[in-house]
Amino acid sequence: MKKTIAVITAACALASQSAKASDALWDAFQNPPNEARASCYWWWKGDLTAPEMGRQLRLFKDAGLGGAHIIPWGGGKPAYLTPEWLALLGAASDAAKKEGMILDLSANAAWPFRGKWVSEEDSLHKVDVKTYQAEGPRKFSIPAKSAGDKKEKDEGTARILMAQLAPDPVSSMDQIQDVTAGLTKPDFPEVDVPAGKHTIYVVRQLSGVKTQPDFGRVPDHFNPAAMESYLKGFAERVAPALGGSLSNGLRALYCDSLELSEANWTPNFPEEFKRRCGYDLTPYLPLLLNIDANRKKPGVRNSPLDKTLVKVRYDYCRTLSDLFLEGFARPFYRWCHENGVLCRWQAYGWPWFYNIDDGYRIPDMPEGNNWLFSGSVFSGDQDIQGWPIWQKYTSSGAHQAGRRIASTEAMTVVDGKYKETLDLVKRADDFNFVCGINHSFLHGFCYSPANEPFPGRNQYGTYFSEQNTWWPYMRQWMDYNARLNAVFQSSKPVAQVALLFRTSDVWGQAGLDRGPFQTDPPWAHQVWRWINQNGANADYVSDQILQQAAFDDGKIAFGPMHYDALIVLGAKTLVPATAEALERYAKAGGKIVFAGNIPESSPGLKDAEVNDAKVRTIIQGLLLNYPENVMRRSPPAAAAPSLTEWRKSTSAGQCLAWSDQLLTDLKIQRSVQFEKQPEGLYQIHYRSDDGRDLYFFANTAQSNVAVRAVFPSAGKHLERWNPETGTRSEFPVDKAGRTLIALPPAGSLLLAAGAGEALVAEDLPVPPALTTVQEITGPWSVSFNPASGAAFEITPFTLAGLHESGDARLNRFAGQAVYKTDFVWDKSTGGTHLDLGAVPNCITEVTMNGQPLGTRWYGRHDYVLDGAIKQGSNHLEVKVVTTLFNRLRKDTEKAVPSGLIGPVVLSAE
């Protein structure tokens, strides 16, 4: 075995570092352009000066950042958009140019867009419904505090739009009486309630939603004229500070996540609805808005009226989403281009999604958002919060629109600030890569003057700051991130499977609420992950994509993407035009899987019976006429009421086996064929313009992963490109054409397959487990250098978690601690590795006998000795860099594990 390893090692040492013909992809990998380097959110919270801006931009550049994104924030001086603030914006632009840095700017202060020049008429609108119970016969009037014009927090001005009276319960539209006139009388607003129990539905129209005195009103996002007026006013104020043009210093203008307080109206909405949907919305509006009355829970009510309301609600959501794309997304994109800058925005939002399916194909730089700690509101569960879903829709939109960059707001934190580690950052970043993301905007760096007392200013989000203990090590991750971004941005994604989610079902049952979209059914948005871990890749598609796609030779062609199969995720309804598209696809040899449900109806109300029958006939015909290519599959576990309950009813192994069999049944040629389904090992596949296949692997498990794999490009020359070092080496395969993917926890691998013959090895053994040869027990001495406060030393020191100490200097310690000891080595063999054992939430640097052994900023703290050990006495120093959390935590917060705990051992193969 050792001989085989030696042969492989010697061959790899012949790494292709010699001069070759010009290779643009390799050059970009070695020297990533600024566009590939991460940028950071730069929160401007006051006390701004031009010299300090220049200093901070140099700080960013030295840390490996390629640019910054200015986010204006309230409360500081100079105030936003004042002449003084605008002059400083111009100074920041000049400083960025001087440093060769990219500069982006939010087209607003905070978010969403706001401006003092936005009129009440052009402001954001919504409608809501208030219900009142009344038993007649009696006269009813609305309580004075809810009637007429009034101001409410984030809601602006309210007025009664309409009112209805209905028996409780109501079962037919014929039972509903319009009582708007009675409840809006100027003198005595009241209505006669007949005998029996009744509900009065009062619909309010609100304008000026989310107005803030410091920044003004939010423009109507469903009215292109209102949005264009806002953007025109923004340019008129900002462009002069940049020499008359926004493009003179800015690369992109930006809109953050769409947090519009459930905005759902524009003054001409009734007319637009009737024009698009073919009927009057008004009679249905009160019941439609009363969605919380158990109506969004399937099966709770199933009367003819409820079935009608489900279809009306779909039409309402479809209209609102279309108006949003027409009123905000496309005008913002056009305006950016008219002003010579790129368009960046996040199509997801809170609490609603306004067509995440199609929205991400519009901007030049679609942007998602990943979180490290999502806070108690989501129980820390990334699938309930949903950020992996946003990432996948972001990259899918970028792929289909042919955008080179799919970006993300990266490392967002609410609860748990200062707990962040570079290990967590790398793990999250690697998962972003396998989601299809290839650029990061770090969240974030708060403008904080150099003389600001410890720990400096901060904003929620990961603490990217020069006062953070691990800031000096950040360049190592930055370079790693940039090299991978450079390769992925310069290549084209490869995906075999298109996924159509049951958006029309969700809109009908639950409206635009992102919660049901993300978790109902709980398995649907997990499918892409299972496919990925089985060696293939998938993108989300929409009704619009399928209706506009070309179908040929079994493929779905849209933009630059070509998919080999379509999986419909849990849909009970299909838009008739989409059903017709599936029929065309099946006739062209397409492969279709209906996972979970068979669509049996259409989602909209107009011509419902005809359209329901059309959808049912088409889908049943596909199953009957194309049995080899069109199939139904039940999900890998029984239905469950929640994501948590569903997880209890299944296992990762079941899910991976399900998707493996599905890919086999579909005869999909995978990007990589694993010999077994490696749980926690993700991959993504790109192809360069010169035909090289690029494969990135990331181990998200907490244990080692080792699996043999075969690529479709078997026989090609295979190289490992190391993003940590910027070097490359040949990567061997065995005689059967298999290669070995062996990664530790948090480990990753980038392989490039191109022209030439593969390096063939006799055998590719799984790396053997290391055996402990000797434990280094001390005695230890430790020098503590806190991030704030006086240094101190403890001798002797017994290895243990600092967080568990009764000494406040230790359980509150944050900074650098240098552990030193001497030990005797008298073995004739072994001692090839030093394993520090447990060093939780820390970075380590090791020297032995004065010889640096390296740094471990992620994963295990295991060092190759490379001859540093010697017979007799040896001196070991371990620098341990902790997080800031234990120093800055509240008294009510529990300390996180920290320090060198060990055991520290010498080991050998």
Side-chain angles (χ1 to χ4, degrees):
M1 179 181 292
K2 289 186 177 180
K3 181 178 179 181
T4 301
I5 295 173
V7 169
I8 295 172
T9 303
C12 291
L14 299 175
S16 320
Q17 306 298 331
S18 58
K20 292 186 175 182
S22 177
D23 185 340
L25 189 65
W26 172 248
D27 291 344
F29 177 79
Q30 286 192 300
N31 300 290
N34 276 349
E35 196 173 41
R37 291 194 168 275
S39 291
C40 68
Y41 282 11
W42 194 12
W43 302 92
W44 281 14
K45 299 179 76 172
D47 301 322
L48 310 173
T49 68
E52 179 59 25
M53 289 174 175
R55 186 193 74 85
Q56 291 184 24
L57 284 167
R58 290 190 295 274
L59 184 72
F60 298 165
K61 184 176 182 179
D62 291 343
L65 286 160
H69 167 190
I70 298 170
I71 301 184
W73 205 250
K77 294 182 179 180
Y80 177 60
L81 293 187
T82 59
E84 295 81 7
W85 189 94
L86 290 166
L88 288 165
L89 174 64
S93 170
D94 292 340
K97 291 176 187 175
K98 180 180 177 180
E99 299 299 330
M101 303 279 280
I102 293 169
L103 199 63
D104 291 353
L105 174 67
S106 292
N108 56 294
W111 68 95
F113 290 175
R114 288 186 179 93
K116 291 185 177 181
W117 58 94
V118 177
S119 68
E120 181 87 15
E121 181 183 4
D122 282 349
S123 68
L124 193 64
H125 293 74
K126 68 184 291 186
V127 289
D128 65 12
V129 63
K130 291 186 175 295
T131 59
Y132 303 90
Q133 306 302 314
E135 187 165 1
R138 56 166 286 195
K139 290 186 178 295
F140 172 82
S141 60
I142 300 173
K145 66 178 183 178
S146 297
D149 291 349
K150 70 189 189 80
K151 294 283 185 180
E152 291 189 6
K153 186 179 186 307
D154 289 341
E155 290 191 343
T157 302
R159 69 177 182 87
I160 294 176
L161 179 67
M162 64 174 297
Q164 288 180 341
L165 172 70
D168 186 12
V170 59
S171 58
S172 167
M173 292 297 297
D174 296 335
Q175 298 173 301
I176 298 173
Q177 178 185 351
D178 188 307
V179 293
T180 307
L183 289 179
T184 56
K185 288 187 298 186
D187 297 328
F188 300 102
E190 62 182 15
V191 60
D192 290 321
V193 179
K197 294 181 178 180
H198 288 75
T199 300
I200 296 93
Y201 300 88
V202 179
V203 176
R204 304 184 308 160
Q205 179 176 331
L206 303 100
S207 59
V209 175
K210 289 185 78 80
T211 296
Q212 286 189 3
D214 287 346
F215 302 125
R217 299 184 182 93
V218 178
D220 186 346
H221 281 52
F222 310 102
N223 179 350
M227 185 55 59
E228 288 162 1
S229 176
Y230 167 80
L231 295 170
K232 180 175 181 288
F234 178 87
E236 288 172 346
R237 288 158 175 80
V238 175
L242 299 170
S245 174
L246 295 176
S247 63
N248 183 25
L250 298 178
R251 174 188 62 173
L253 271 296
Y254 174 72
C255 176
D256 210 316
S257 56
L258 300 163
E259 301 177 24
L260 300 178
S261 294
E262 300 180 346
N264 60 358
W265 197 254
T266 191
N268 69 337
F269 190 87
E271 292 79 16
E272 284 294 330
F273 184 94
K274 188 170 185 179
R275 182 175 69 84
R276 295 162 189 257
C277 299
Y279 63 96
D280 185 6
L281 171 68
T282 306
Y284 302 99
L285 187 59
L287 291 179
L288 183 74
L289 295 172
N290 193 34
I291 193 170
D292 290 331
N294 284 330
R295 293 186 178 275
K296 65 181 177 183
K297 297 179 180 178
V300 173
R301 297 184 180 181
N302 201 28
S303 70
L305 177 58
D306 282 283
K307 291 179 179 179
T308 296
L309 288 174
V310 165
K311 290 181 177 293
V312 175
R313 188 174 293 117
Y314 165 81
D315 288 336
Y316 176 79
C317 293
R318 173 84 270 169
T319 301
L320 194 66
S321 294
D322 287 347
L323 288 175
F324 172 80
L325 296 183
E326 296 166 16
F328 166 78
R330 294 191 180 98
F332 181 41
Y333 175 83
R334 288 194 302 269
W335 173 81
C336 286
H337 282 236
E338 289 166 0
N339 284 273
V341 294
L342 298 179
C343 175
R344 268 182 58 214
W345 67 287
Q346 298 179 348
Y348 87 96
W350 169 262
W352 286 1
F353 285 161
Y354 296 95
N355 195 344
I356 194 174
D357 304 57
D358 296 314
Y360 269 125
R361 296 198 308 281
I362 294 173
D364 299 296
M365 296 175 65
E367 184 162 304
N369 186 186
N370 88 277
W371 289 64
L372 293 185
F373 308 117
S374 57
S376 56
V377 68
F378 302 110
S379 305
D381 191 317
Q382 63 176 228
D383 291 322
I384 292 175
Q385 187 198 25
W387 69 259
I389 301 169
W390 317 336
Q391 303 295 68
K392 199 61 189 172
Y393 272 97
T394 300
S395 66
S396 298
H399 295 169
Q400 292 145 4
R403 309 302 191 201
R404 286 193 314 107
I405 295 178
S407 68
T408 186
E409 172 186 329
M411 318 306 158
T412 309
V413 167
V414 177
D415 294 346
K417 189 171 184 66
Y418 305 117
K419 289 182 181 179
E420 315 94 350
T421 66
L422 283 180
D423 177 273
L424 282 175
V425 167
K426 181 185 184 295
R427 290 172 187 263
D429 188 47
D430 286 349
F431 192 75
N432 286 338
F433 284 135
V434 298
C435 288
I437 299 298
N438 59 24
H439 190 266
S440 294
F441 284 86
L442 306 183
H443 187 307
F445 189 101
C446 191
Y447 178 96
S448 186
N451 60 357
E452 190 81 11
F454 175 83
R457 299 179 189 176
N458 64 76
Q459 177 76 3
Y460 71 93
T462 293
Y463 190 51
F464 292 104
S465 165
E466 62 193 298
Q467 296 207 50
N468 197 329
T469 50
W470 45 257
W471 180 268
Y473 299 89
M474 198 168 73
R475 179 83 195 212
Q476 297 185 55
W477 170 69
M478 288 286 192
D479 288 345
Y480 167 89
N481 168 274
R483 291 183 181 116
L484 290 170
N485 284 332
V487 169
F488 300 153
Q489 290 176 12
S490 302
S491 307
K492 295 181 174 59
V494 177
Q496 297 87 355
V497 180
L499 302 173
L500 179 67
F501 182 64
R502 57 188 293 268
T503 300
S504 58
D505 292 10
V506 174
W507 284 359
Q509 294 167 357
L512 298 173
D513 186 345
R514 85 178 191 187
F517 184 97
Q518 294 176 166
T519 60
D520 183 14
W523 53 268
H525 288 303
Q526 306 296 314
V527 170
W528 79 263
R529 297 195 196 197
W530 307 336
I531 290 172
N532 184 291
Q533 291 174 81
N534 273 291
N537 287 278
D539 283 338
Y540 285 107
V541 296
S542 67
D543 288 307
Q544 185 181 93
I545 287 176
L546 291 174
Q547 292 165 24
Q548 296 177 1
F551 307 122
D552 184 46
D553 195 25
K555 293 187 180 294
I556 301 170
F558 186 89
M561 301 304 295
H562 294 77
Y563 304 103
D564 299 321
L566 171 70
I567 302 177
V568 182
L569 299 170
K572 295 180 179 178
T573 66
L574 272 185
V575 176
T578 302
E580 291 169 346
L582 297 194
E583 187 174 40
R584 295 195 303 274
Y585 178 45
K587 290 179 179 177
K591 302 168 185 176
I592 304 170
V593 176
F594 296 103
N597 290 305
I598 298 293
E600 295 183 340
S601 62
S602 64
L605 182 63
K606 182 175 172 57
D607 300 325
E609 290 187 8
V610 172
N611 287 329
D612 288 353
K614 177 185 290 187
V615 169
R616 192 160 45 248
T617 299
I618 289 174
I619 301 305
Q620 292 299 329
L622 295 180
L623 292 166
L624 179 65
N625 298 323
Y626 305 96
E628 293 187 2
N629 282 2
V630 180
M631 58 195 78
R632 179 181 183 180
R633 289 291 184 272
S634 297
S642 69
L643 181 63
T644 301
E645 291 301 314
W646 176 80
R647 284 173 177 159
K648 293 177 182 178
S649 68
T650 188
S651 68
Q654 282 179 278
C655 299
L656 292 179
W658 180 86
S659 55
D660 178 53
Q661 186 62 54
L662 185 59
L663 291 171
T664 299
D665 292 345
L666 290 170
K667 298 180 177 62
I668 297 294
Q669 184 183 63
R670 311 181 196 197
S671 293
V672 54
Q673 182 72 55
F674 297 117
E675 284 194 346
K676 61 178 181 179
Q677 295 88 33
E679 184 178 334
L681 179 63
Y682 286 83
Q683 54 74 40
I684 193 164
H685 180 193
Y686 287 85
R687 184 166 291 129
S688 67
D689 288 340
D690 62 8
R692 273 176 293 191
D693 287 291
L694 301 148
Y695 305 97
F696 176 75
F697 300 89
N699 180 14
T700 66
Q702 298 301 316
S703 57
N704 291 338
V705 166
V707 61
R708 289 180 175 82
V710 176
F711 300 106
S713 53
K716 288 187 177 182
H717 184 68
L718 199 61
E719 291 181 332
R720 178 191 180 188
W721 291 17
N722 189 330
E724 293 182 53
T725 62
T727 59
R728 58 183 171 184
S729 58
E730 290 186 284
F731 202 77
V733 299
D734 65 17
K735 291 182 177 180
R738 303 173 303 176
T739 194
L740 178 67
I741 310 298
L743 295 173
S748 58
L749 175 68
L750 175 64
L751 297 178
E757 294 185 0
L759 172 65
V760 179
E762 286 292 325
D763 191 15
L764 294 176
V766 174
L770 298 176
T771 301
T772 298
V773 177
Q774 177 178 325
E775 182 176 352
I776 300 175
T777 57
W780 296 84
S781 66
V782 187
S783 301
F784 293 92
N785 184 18
S788 175
F792 60 96
E793 186 168 335
I794 298 179
T795 303
F797 186 89
T798 301
L799 296 187
L802 301 180
H803 61 292
E804 296 177 322
S805 173
D807 186 339
R809 296 179 303 169
L810 300 183
N811 63 44
R812 285 280 184 176
F813 180 77
Q816 297 182 358
V818 180
Y819 295 70
K820 302 176 183 178
T821 192
D822 295 306
F823 68 95
V824 174
W825 174 255
D826 58 4
K827 308 290 191 300
S828 59
T829 60
T832 59
H833 288 73
L834 173 71
D835 184 351
L836 298 182
V839 201
N841 303 303
C842 294
I843 294 169
T844 61
E845 282 187 68
V846 171
T847 60
M848 184 176 288
N849 300 320
Q851 179 177 329
L853 299 182
T855 302
R856 297 292 179 267
W857 53 274
Y858 73 91
R860 291 176 179 152
H861 297 264
D862 183 12
Y863 291 82
V864 178
L865 294 180
D866 282 333
I869 196 169
K870 64 183 181 180
Q871 288 289 318
S873 179
N874 291 266
H875 180 70
L876 175 64
E877 291 191 11
V878 181
K879 181 193 288 187
V880 174
V881 182
T882 75
T883 67
L884 286 173
F885 180 78
N886 287 347
R887 168 69 174 79
L888 298 174
R889 64 185 170 87
K890 300 173 184 176
D891 290 338
T892 54
E893 292 179 307
K894 185 178 179 180
V896 297
S898 185
L900 176 57
I901 299 173
V904 178
V905 300
L906 297 167
S907 56
E909 296 177 0

